[in-house]
Amino acid sequence: MLPLKSGLSLWMKLLGAQLVLVGLAFGGDDPEGARMLQEAQKQLSVYHAGQPESHRVLRVVYFVPSDRDPLANHEERLGRILEDVNGFYRDGFRRFGVEGRELALEKKDGKLVIHLVKGKLPASSYNYESGTATAAEAGEALKGRVDMRQDHVLVIYALCHKEADGRYVFNAPYYGGAVPSNEFSICHAADCELLDPLLLPEKNRGIVYTEHYYPRVEQTLGLFNSWYLGGIAHELGHGLGLPHDSGTVGEGRFGVSLMGRGNHHYREDKWGGRSPAYFSRGSALQLLSHPLVTGSDRGRGEKVHLCFDTLAFAEKNGVLHIDGSAGGTVPAYAVVAHVWPKSAKSDHGAISYPAVLDHGRFKLELTGLKQEPCHLKLTSLHLNGAESTEVFELEQDAKGGINIDKLTAEWLVDRAETAVVTKSPKVKEFVGDEVIASAPTPESARKLQALRSSLTPSAPSELADITEDQVFLSDVTWTDASVGWGKPARNSFWFDEKFQVSALLVLGGRFHDKGLYAHPPSSYGFAVDGKWKIFTATVGLRDGAATAASAVFIVRGDGKELYRSEPLRAGAREALSVDVSGVKGLELLTEGGGGNSNGSWAIWADPKIRR
C-alpha cells in the first residue's frame, strides 16, 4: 500500500510546480524553451503522481591519498561548492519557468554529508586515469554506507599539492558518465584549497597550476574557480547522463552552454566575464526526468529498448527533416538530436535540436548544418529518466545534398541490431529476406546479414581440417579463451541480457564481418601446429569505447612475444602482420593500457592466418 504521507508530499510538490508553470508560462528570456520544459513537466507530473518520495540522494566522497591530509577547510568549501552547483541547475530550470527543481543532496542537520576515504596508496600512485582503482577503493572502504553500483556518487580528490615555486599540481581523475544514469552513476573531480565559490569575484589574486591537459596555467582566482567549479558542474552533468551539448542554433545569445564548453565560463559574470555558462534546452529537458530531480523511483532500472518506432528522413533547402515516433516499455516524453562535424576533435561543440513528443510523435528541423560530414545522435528521453540513443552519419550525396539513403540504411541496421541484443520478438522481421533485399546500401545489407547470422551462428571448424590457404581464426575452434569482461565472442561483439551495447564489430567507422571480442585482460589460444606462416589483423577499441580506456594487443608464439602494440585508445587502430612460421601454439592477448579499464572494448578485427 502507498505510504499516504510521502505519496501526498510528492504529489503536492509536483502539483505546486505545475501551478507555478501555469503562472510563468511563456515567461523568461526563452519562451520557446519554456514551452518545451513546461510541457515535459506536465507529462512527468502525471507519470510520477502518487509515488512515494525517493530516498536516493547524490553522495559525495572525498578521496585522500594515504600520505596526505584533507585539504584546508574542505568540509566548509565542499558544502558551498555543492550548494552553488545545485543552485546553477536550479536557476537553469527556473529560466524556463520550472520552479522547485534541483538535485537531492545528502545532508544531515542541514549540512552536506561528506564520506571521507583514505586511499591505500600514496599520492604519487594516482593520476588522471586512476578512476577505476579509486572507485574500487572507495566502494570497499564505504561498504554498507555507499554502494557504487546503486548510488549516484561524486568523488572529489585531495590530489593537489603546492610545489616550492608556488605552483599547484593536480593529479586527479576528472570525468564522469559511462553507466546507466537513472540507476547509478559515478563522476570524478579535483579539489584545491583555493576552490571556493566565495573566490569567484576575485580579480586581483592569481594562481599558477599544472594539470592533465595544461602544463602551465596562470589565472586570476576568479577565472580559476570558473574553470574548476564549472568542471565539477560539467562532470556531474555527465554523471547524471547529460551529453556534450553546445545549445540550439539560437541559444548562443545566452552565453556558453555548460555541457558544451561552458565549464570554462561558469558564473564568470561574478568577475566581469561577458559570456557566462547557461543551462541549454536540451540539457534541462533531459535532467528534468532524472530520479534525483523528480524525487521518484518509478521505473528506475526499467530498460527502454526499440524506442524509435518509426523514422523518416528528408531534406529540403539544406534543412534535414526528421519525422518519427518514439515509444518503449517506459513512454518517451522528448527527443534531442545532436550534430557535430566529424572533423572535430570532440563533440563539445554539438548543436542540439530538442522537441517534446505529442502523443508519441515528433518532428525535428535541423537547420544550420555544415556542408561537411557530421555525426548525428538522436536520443529519446523517457519518463523514468532513462534514455536510448541512435547514432548516424550525415554525409553528402553526389549532388551535394544529405545522403538520405545512408541515413535510412543506418536506421534499419540500428533497429535490427537493437532487436538482436535485446532478443526482441520482432528480430526476425527486422532481418528478414525482404528487409535485406531492400537495404538502401550494400554495407547495410552485409550488416543485416551478419545480424541474422548471429541469431543462429555456425559451428566453428577444426583448424586441422582446413585445406584452404587462409582462414579467419574467428571461424575455427580455439584451445582456450578468456576475457576480462563478459564472455569470449566470435564474429560479433559480446552482449547479454544486461550489457547490450552492440552486436557488430566496428573499428574506426569500418564494419568487420570477422573478429574476436577481447576486453582486457583477454587471451585466445589456437593450435596452429607449425602449418601457417603469416598472421594479420586490425586491432583497436570498438567505436563507442570510453575515451579514458585503452588496451595493448600482444601476439605470442610458443610463449615467445612476437608483437606488442602501443596502448591504443578509443579511435586509434593498428594493422599488423606477424611471421608465425613454425609456431605450434598461437596466443592473441590484450592487456589494459592504463589505470582505467572501464569500456576497453578491444577487438581483433579480421584475424587471419595464411600458409
Side-chain angles (χ1 to χ4, degrees), residues 518-591:
H519 191 295
S522 72
S523 173
Y524 287 90
F526 299 91
V528 293
D529 296 332
K531 298 178 180 179
W532 304 86
K533 292 183 179 180
I534 300 294
F535 168 72
T536 59
T538 301
V539 296
L541 301 189
R542 188 199 180 280
D543 291 5
T547 55
S550 62
V552 175
F553 293 79
I554 304 161
V555 178
R556 287 182 187 162
D558 298 330
K560 179 182 178 181
E561 190 169 295
L562 305 177
Y563 165 85
R564 174 180 286 265
S565 74
E566 295 295 322
L568 298 181
R569 293 192 175 279
R573 60 188 184 278
E574 189 169 303
L576 59 107
S577 179
V578 180
D579 186 350
V580 294
S581 300
V583 170
K584 294 184 178 180
L586 182 66
E587 295 176 276
L588 309 182
L589 306 100
T590 63
E591 298 176 351

Side-chain angles (χ1 to χ4, degrees), residues 74-94:
H74 76 285
E75 291 184 345
E76 293 82 359
R77 288 187 300 98
L78 291 187
R80 289 192 290 269
I81 288 170
L82 267 296
E83 286 297 335
D84 194 79
V85 169
N86 206 13
F88 179 90
Y89 287 139
R90 182 173 58 247
D91 292 343
F93 287 130
R94 182 177 292 148

Side-chain angles (χ1 to χ4, degrees), residues 476-487:
V476 301
T477 56
W478 49 59
T479 56
D480 60 270
S482 64
V483 294
W485 175 262
K487 296 180 179 180

Side-chain angles (χ1 to χ4, degrees), residues 230-245:
I232 292 176
H234 181 99
E235 299 306 338
L236 179 56
H238 283 322
L240 298 172
L242 301 183
H244 286 136
D245 181 338

